[in-house]
Amino acid sequence: IMAGTGVAARHGILIKDAEALEVAHRIDTVAFDKTGTLTEGKPQLVAAESALGDRSALLAASAALQSGSEHPLARAVMESAATERVKVPGAAQVRAVAGRGMAAQVNGRELRLGSARYMLELGVTLGPLQGRADALQGEGRTVSWLADVTTAPRLLGLLAFGDTIKASARDAIASLQAAGVRTVMVTGDNRGSADAVGRALGIDRVEAEVLPENKAAIVADLKKSGATVAMVGDGINDAPALAAADVGIAMSTGTDVAMHAAGVTLMRGDPALVAASIDISRRTYAKIRQNLFWAFAYNVVGIPLAAFGLLNPMLAGAAMAFSSVSVVSNALLLRRWKQPGVR
C-alpha cells in the first residue's frame, strides 16, 4: 500500500487513505460530472438571442443578474458585456435558486435567468425561441433563458454558451472502457448539450438536467444495481455524490469542498488520471495477493519440515528472512509503474 500510494503521488494522484486504494480495484462504473471535469470549465458566450429584438438590452439585463457571481457562465456573460461595452444596470435582491438559476430585481423589474426547467416552473412560454435553442443544444451548447416575471411571465431571450472538451477526455473514456469499466455522465446541463458531449466522448450513459441534490441519488441507484462506483467531480454541487460513491475522485482544479469529500484527488485536471488511479489500485491489489501467496507458501512448506526436525534452525531463520525480503522486493516493483499511454 505504501508503494502504491507513493507511485500514485509521483504521478499526480493523491490517495487519502488505504481504503480508497483497496476499493478502487473493484470499480466497474465511473460517473463523471461534465463542466470542469470532462470540459475545460471556461465557457464563452456564443449566442444571445432576444425575443424582443434588442440584443444589447438582453445582455445588459443578464449581466446585471450575474454581476456578483463567480459561476463560469456568469463570468462569460460579464466578459461579453465588457467586450461589447454594454452598460450594466444595478441589481437588487440578487439570489441564487439552487439547481435552477438566478433571480433579481433590475430597474424595477423582477427578472429570472436559468434553465428551461426553471422557466417552465415559472410558467414562461419558450415557444418563440425553442427552435433556435434546440439547434444550439444540438451543437453541444448550454442554453440559459431570461424572463421577466413582474406581472405576467414573459420571455426576454436566451443565452448560449460553448465549452471546450478537454483534449484527453476521449482517450480517458476509451481507456476506462478498455479496462471493462462502464462510464456515466451526470450533469445539470440540458439534454441536448449533454447528449452532444456524450456522443463526442463515447460515454455509455448520460443523465442530464440533474438537480444538485439528485446527483447523490443517481450514484446510490448505481450502487444498488450491484456496481462499484467512482464519482469524478470538481464542484460544490458534486460533493454529496463524491461522498456517496464507493470512491470519490476530485479534481484539484475544483473546490476545496469537493476535495474534502473525495478519497482521491487528481493534482492535474486530467480525466486520464482516473483510469490511471484504477490501474494503480488493481496492480497494488495484485501485489498484495502475490505477497500473501508467497508468505503462506513459505510457511506451508517450512513449518512441517521444521516440526519434523528436517530443517536446520539456521536455514529456517534464513528462509524466514528471505521470505520478508522477497515480499518487500515484490512490493517495491510497483515503483516502476508508468501511466498507461505515457512514455
Side-chain angles (χ1 to χ4, degrees):
I1 289 170
M2 290 175 65
T5 54
V7 73
R10 284 198 300 276
H11 286 81
I13 303 165
L14 296 186
I15 299 172
K16 280 186 182 179
D17 51 49
E19 183 181 0
L21 184 67
E22 292 180 34
V23 172
H25 82 275
R26 294 189 282 108
I27 290 172
D28 54 22
T29 303
V30 175
F32 288 92
D33 173 49
K34 182 175 79 72
T35 304
T37 302
L38 293 173
T39 66
E40 294 290 350
K42 299 176 182 177
Q44 293 182 327
L45 185 68
V46 296
E49 304 279 345
S50 173
L52 306 177
D54 190 343
R55 185 180 185 280
S56 295
L58 171 67
L59 193 55
S62 301
L65 264 82
Q66 302 187 90
S67 58
S69 175
E70 290 299 319
H71 193 280
L73 298 185
R75 287 198 294 268
V77 172
M78 297 305 297
E79 287 171 4
S80 291
T83 300
E84 299 182 27
R85 297 182 180 180
V86 172
K87 185 177 180 180
V88 179
Q93 300 179 19
V94 179
R95 60 194 181 279
V97 183
R100 288 165 175 80
M102 299 289 294
Q105 194 176 85
V106 180
N107 293 332
R109 297 186 299 167
E110 288 291 337
L111 301 185
R112 303 292 183 266
L113 176 69
S115 64
R117 180 202 297 267
Y118 190 26
M119 295 297 110
L120 293 175
E121 291 174 358
L122 294 171
V124 178
T125 301
L126 305 179
L129 293 174
Q130 185 65 66
R132 177 62 175 150
D134 291 341
L136 288 165
Q137 290 173 5
E139 298 171 3
R141 310 303 188 190
T142 298
V143 174
S144 293
W145 303 84
L146 181 68
D148 182 346
V149 295
T150 308
T151 52
R154 181 172 58 125
L155 180 67
L156 297 181
L158 66 80
L159 304 174
F161 304 88
D163 197 0
T164 306
I165 295 174
K166 289 183 177 178
S168 62
R170 183 70 185 88
D171 289 340
I173 297 300
S175 296
L176 287 169
Q177 292 170 338
V181 177
R182 185 168 61 123
T183 55
V184 181
M185 186 169 71
V186 184
T187 178
D189 208 346
N190 58 72
R191 169 59 63 181
S193 175
D195 283 343
V197 173
R199 286 192 302 271
L201 297 178
I203 291 175
D204 299 314
R205 173 180 165 187
V206 175
E207 294 285 346
E209 300 178 2
V210 179
L211 295 175
E213 60 268 26
N214 292 339
K215 285 189 176 183
I218 289 175
V219 170
D221 288 342
L222 290 170
K223 290 170 66 176
K224 285 179 183 177
S225 68
T228 302
V229 183
M231 174 69 196
V232 187
D234 71 332
I236 293 174
N237 291 341
D238 300 321
L242 290 169
D246 293 294
V247 178
I249 302 176
M251 300 280 188
S252 67
T253 50
T255 62
D256 291 342
V257 174
M259 286 185 279
H260 182 74
V264 177
T265 298
L266 307 181
M267 296 310 294
R268 303 192 304 276
D270 184 356
L273 290 179
V274 176
S277 304
I278 296 173
D279 189 62
I280 288 175
S281 176
R282 290 179 176 179
R283 289 176 184 273
T284 302
Y285 188 71
K287 289 295 182 186
I288 291 172
R289 295 181 65 180
Q290 290 169 14
N291 288 345
L292 285 173
F293 169 79
W294 287 114
F296 275 107
Y298 274 115
N299 285 284
V300 166
V301 174
I303 289 175
L305 292 176
F308 287 102
L310 301 176
L311 189 61
N312 184 291
M314 290 180 62
L315 291 176
M320 198 67 200
F322 182 73
S323 168
S324 298
V325 169
S326 64
V327 164
V328 172
S329 299
N330 190 37
L332 290 177
L333 289 176
L334 280 170
R335 292 166 59 89
R336 300 165 60 183
W337 179 90
K338 293 187 181 298
Q339 185 178 344
V342 177
R343 293 182 180 180

